[in-house]
Amino acid sequence: MNEIVLAARGISKQYPGALALDHVDFLVCRGQVNVVIGENGAGKSTLMKILAGVERPTAGVLELEGHPIRLASTRDAAALGIAMIHQELNLLPNLNVADNIFMAREETNWGVIRHRSQERAAAELMLRLEQPIDPRTLVGDLPLGQQQVVEIAKAIARDVRVLIMDEPTSALSATEIDVLFRLIRDLKSRGVSIIYISHRLEELLTIGDQVMVLRDGRVVAESPAETVSVSWIVERMTGRAFGASSRSECAAPGRPLMTVESLSMTGPTGRAVLRNLSFQVCAGEIVGFYGLLGAGRTELFECMIGLRHAERGSIVLDGKAIGKLALPERIDAGLVLVPEDRKAAGIVPELSVRENITLANLRSFASGPFLSFAKERRRSEQLVREMNIRAAGLDRPITSLSGGNQQKVVLSRFLLTEPKVLLLDEPTRGVDVGARAEIFDMIRRLAAQGMAVLFASTELKEIRALATRVIVMSLGRMAAEFTAAEATEDALVAASSPVSAPREGGDSVYR
């Protein structure tokens, strides 16, 4: 047996009304990728927070290289060489990349921060992660995928013995994931132990050495990764056999609901992020938007909903031009966006589950000048049942829910506005295989009822399983369009490559 670096023995965690962990034993071996798997709410993130000093266990002990340890804070964990990349990013958007990487451990000379030295070190980390990110760039100006890269750089900048990665690839494209995996193999070769959590099951089997499955706060299975399969994992995660989602069939589209013509937009740095985009979407369609990091998918959706301003082009929704309308007016017209970053732009952490569900359509619960709490509660309870949201109570904080259940709450909120066109930016980011299947089924039901659904994803299998038509974007352009039958993985990858993206004049962008 490999040398045990970190051990959790008999760990339990009791929250008010919920037992998150129940006598969990977990052994982390040196130089291995130790995979932890489970559905949303299984206790994975709670266990990781305890190992990283964010939370304290109700019962049990932690040992580092055979010696008992007590972690009262993340500083205690960091001092012992334990670092964590959180599922929800912990970055300061008003500071630049270098300042975020060295936050709370700045390089100083007589009390003065050595910014140049930090910027050089940050540039070396970006080079190691194969990302052309300027260390002086404000983190708030970076897309979510590059913010994830900064979070990874912040963790590996320390001299770590145990590195916890909670959904590190949730915002990364296939290319960035390959880079991360090369980094993980390099860290392993140096004796660093990795604890890895992801809902992408094939990814776990690619990078993992040892697998542990949690269900309802208990360990239900452990095995070397080489001896397990995706079906083995799913059956132990859910307690039942689970079949892969079938590809959506191409139903006859209904009437045109949305037309986008010649949409162009410039980013904050003056670079064009959308270039002359034109497409039409009909009732009943599920249109997938695929592309690599920086392709412009998120910018397109934010421009359509009114969060960003287009310099040129038009957007027509059900016969009405909405390109000059404010965001609330676009929602009233029948367009909604479920954002990519659930923490920053989806949930309101200070509010309860009920308040998060009803926030976007409070007018429908009004009784004269007052809000009818009875109406609001009845409708919230109905949506909780329909969406299978697992919550201890409607008045519990939204932050008490797992990531998958938070995502269902965000979806419920926007469905209350009765949209005609639904925009979903990475709708299953950080969501387990069971919740993902439920979200897929919900999207198919909405399309069958005549709604048009546009969703952006970096996951090829998700695009191919759900979309009835696929639009591939590259460098802000529409690089290709495929029917569901034509959208093979090879075709999508080839079309998304920047080399294949043409200029307006016909020349390739790169040679």
Side-chain angles (χ1 to χ4, degrees):
M1 185 175 179
N2 287 337
E3 179 186 356
I4 296 171
V5 176
L6 182 65
R9 303 189 189 276
I11 296 295
S12 296
K13 181 63 179 179
Q14 178 76 53
Y15 292 107
L19 182 61
L21 294 173
D22 187 5
H23 293 90
V24 169
D25 292 329
F26 180 44
L27 304 179
V28 179
C29 296
R30 188 182 304 280
Q32 282 196 350
V33 176
N34 304 266
V35 168
V36 181
I37 302 173
E39 289 191 277
N40 287 118
K44 306 182 304 296
S45 292
T46 301
L47 177 59
M48 296 306 108
K49 289 176 181 177
I50 289 172
L51 297 179
V54 178
E55 300 269 7
R56 260 65 66 198
T58 307
V61 296
L62 300 177
E63 297 176 356
L64 184 66
E65 297 185 342
H67 301 288
I69 57 172
R70 292 178 62 87
L71 303 178
S73 67
T74 55
R75 282 182 177 272
D76 289 350
L80 294 171
I82 303 171
M84 181 171 179
I85 300 168
H86 293 268
Q87 178 179 352
E88 305 294 351
L89 303 182
N90 287 318
L91 300 172
L92 297 177
N94 59 321
L95 297 183
N96 67 29
V97 170
D99 289 340
N100 268 275
I101 290 173
F102 290 93
M103 176 59 61
R105 55 186 195 89
E106 292 85 353
E107 296 182 12
T108 59
N109 186 10
W110 297 97
V112 178
I113 296 176
R114 301 172 60 194
H115 289 287
R116 292 286 181 88
S117 176
Q118 290 185 171
E119 288 168 5
R120 284 194 296 270
E124 291 174 2
L125 285 168
M126 293 301 107
L127 187 63
R128 188 176 175 188
L129 290 166
E130 301 179 31
Q131 282 291 320
I133 301 174
D134 188 332
R136 294 166 295 183
T137 304
L138 287 181
V139 163
D141 292 338
L142 295 175
L144 185 60
Q146 289 190 333
Q147 290 186 27
Q148 183 79 68
V149 171
V150 174
E151 189 74 69
I152 293 168
K154 187 171 72 171
I156 66 172
R158 300 176 181 269
D159 184 17
V160 295
R161 286 191 278 183
V162 178
L163 179 58
I164 303 168
M165 296 184 165
D166 191 356
E167 296 286 350
T169 64
S170 58
L172 302 184
S173 69
T175 303
E176 284 76 40
I177 290 171
D178 287 342
V179 174
L180 177 63
F181 283 7
R182 288 198 292 273
L183 173 67
I184 288 173
R185 294 185 182 103
D186 176 56
L187 292 172
K188 281 175 57 179
S189 70
R190 300 170 188 236
V192 176
S193 302
I194 311 289
I195 304 173
Y196 196 95
I197 297 175
S198 177
H199 292 306
R200 299 175 175 180
L201 303 185
E202 294 88 352
E203 175 181 297
L204 296 175
L205 297 182
T206 299
I207 199 64
D209 296 307
Q210 190 73 19
V211 174
M212 181 182 78
V213 183
L214 286 173
R215 187 167 74 242
D216 298 327
R218 298 183 179 91
V219 178
V220 295
E222 292 180 88
S223 183
E226 61 188 15
T227 67
V228 307
S229 63
V230 169
S231 60
W232 182 94
I233 293 172
V234 173
E235 288 176 16
R236 282 151 185 82
M237 279 176 59
T238 63
R240 62 187 184 275
F242 187 85
S245 299
S246 59
R247 177 184 295 181
S248 294
E249 296 298 323
C250 293
R255 62 188 178 88
L257 271 183
M258 172 168 278
T259 302
V260 174
E261 286 283 351
S262 305
L263 202 65
S264 297
M265 185 181 74
T266 302
T269 62
R271 181 179 63 86
V273 292
L274 297 179
R275 307 165 190 254
N276 203 34
L277 283 171
S278 299
F279 57 88
Q280 187 177 75
V281 182
C282 297
E285 279 197 296
I286 304 173
V287 182
F289 284 76
Y290 178 74
L292 303 178
L293 190 63
R297 295 165 296 119
T298 294
E299 290 83 355
L300 169 63
F301 282 14
E302 291 180 349
C303 183
M304 292 170 69
I305 197 64
L307 289 171
R308 294 174 182 255
H309 173 68
E311 285 82 21
R312 185 162 56 91
S314 65
I315 306 170
V316 177
L317 174 59
D318 202 15
K320 179 181 180 180
I322 65 168
K324 296 186 183 300
L325 298 183
L327 189 153
E329 295 171 313
R330 299 191 195 202
I331 294 175
D332 289 340
L335 180 66
V336 294
L337 167 65
V338 177
E340 176 184 21
D341 192 341
R342 181 171 58 243
K343 179 183 178 182
I347 65 168
V348 182
E350 296 82 8
L351 300 183
S352 67
V353 174
R354 170 181 53 82
E355 291 166 327
N356 267 276
I357 289 175
T358 60
L359 186 61
N361 200 19
L362 290 174
R363 285 176 299 182
S364 64
F365 306 110
S367 180
F370 303 104
L371 189 66
S372 171
F373 292 105
K375 285 183 183 178
E376 186 187 20
R377 179 167 290 277
R378 282 197 300 272
R379 188 69 176 104
S380 299
E381 289 173 344
Q382 180 186 353
L383 281 166
V384 165
R385 289 193 300 270
E386 290 176 358
M387 298 291 289
N388 193 26
I389 298 170
R390 299 178 186 175
L394 287 175
D395 295 317
R396 292 280 293 162
I398 184 70
T399 51
S400 68
L401 272 58
S402 66
N405 286 302
Q406 288 182 19
Q407 184 73 337
K408 292 179 188 177
V409 167
V410 175
L411 286 165
S412 300
R413 176 199 306 159
F414 290 111
L415 292 180
L416 268 180
T417 67
E418 300 181 352
K420 299 172 184 176
V421 178
L422 177 62
L423 307 178
L424 302 170
D425 196 357
E426 298 286 356
T428 62
R429 177 176 177 254
V431 168
D432 69 65
V433 66
R436 178 173 304 199
E438 292 174 351
I439 291 172
F440 278 18
D441 288 342
M442 180 210 69
I443 291 172
R444 293 184 180 111
R445 286 197 308 271
L446 294 173
Q449 294 166 8
M451 189 182 298
V453 180
L454 289 69
F455 77 100
S457 179
T458 55
E459 294 196 39
L460 287 166
K461 287 182 171 58
E462 184 169 292
I463 287 282
R464 298 189 67 238
L466 191 57
T468 58
R469 180 160 58 99
V470 181
I471 292 174
V472 180
M473 292 184 64
S474 179
L475 298 175
R477 297 181 176 86
M478 183 172 159
E481 184 173 358
F482 300 99
T483 64
E486 297 168 339
T488 65
E489 291 193 10
D490 288 345
L492 294 175
V493 170
S496 65
S497 169
V499 176
S500 64
R503 292 184 184 274
E504 282 80 346
D507 295 328
S508 63
V509 176
Y510 298 125
R511 289 292 187 187

